[in-house]
Amino acid sequence: MSMDHLKAAVAVAPTVNSNATDVVKWHGLLLESQAALERAEDALVAALESQPSEVDDPTMELVHRVDAAVTARDGRAMVVRWLLDPNAVGKQDLAARRLARLRGRQGPAVPTSPPPGPATTPQPGRSLAR
């Protein structure tokens, strides 16, 4: 399924498949990060073209902005890759937990008994606190 088709399906029914909704959300964030990175790179290139041999502080700030944009973009790309990979690390455990939750419990996980009653019955008119 193309991303456009997936976006359209999620727009129509966002709660039907939470995985599809997550993919669309993170893909959108990835596209925003890529656009921010491109703007930061363009600003850096323009600053470097107008610089003499040494880089000034405002240009170094642009370098840091590009670095941060690359980090954000790469992190979001990793999330999208993880969401799209059915065999990704951690998904097998997640699938097993979801399956167990869907099956429901037959009884308590640990045998239980009713809690014991109070050791002594308070007398009317007497307070236990001192």
Side-chain angles (χ1 to χ4, degrees), residues 27-114:
H27 183 262
L29 293 171
L30 176 58
L31 293 177
E32 289 175 13
S33 295
Q34 181 63 37
L37 172 59
E38 290 170 4
R39 287 189 304 271
E41 286 174 333
D42 291 344
L44 177 59
V45 168
L48 289 172
E49 287 175 344
S50 67
Q51 290 282 309
S53 61
E54 290 186 28
V55 176
D56 60 8
D57 289 339
T59 305
M60 279 308 293
E61 284 298 319
L62 291 172
V63 169
H64 293 300
R65 240 178 65 198
V66 168
D67 186 47
V70 167
T71 301
R73 189 266 327 260
D74 289 352
R76 290 173 177 181
M78 288 173 55
V79 172
V80 170
R81 266 186 250 122
W82 186 84
L83 289 169
L84 292 173
D85 183 0
N87 298 317
V89 174
K91 283 199 171 179
Q92 299 303 321
D93 294 335
L94 181 63
R97 280 186 267 142
R98 284 182 178 163
L99 183 60
R101 210 173 34 231
L102 289 175
R103 288 184 181 156
R105 294 194 179 257
Q106 303 301 322
V110 177
T112 61
S113 60

Side-chain angles (χ1 to χ4, degrees), residues 5 10 18-20 22 24 53 64 75-76 87 91 95-97 99 117 120 126 129:
H5 286 99
V10 167
S18 64
N19 291 335
D22 288 343
V24 168
S53 61
H64 293 300
R76 290 173 177 181
N87 298 317
K91 283 199 171 179
R97 280 186 267 142
L99 183 60
T120 60
R126 286 185 68 190

Side-chain angles (χ1 to χ4, degrees), residues 6-27:
L6 184 60
K7 286 179 186 178
V10 167
V12 170
T15 59
V16 169
N17 186 327
S18 64
N19 291 335
T21 303
D22 288 343
V23 168
V24 168
K25 171 190 165 194
W26 281 95
H27 183 262

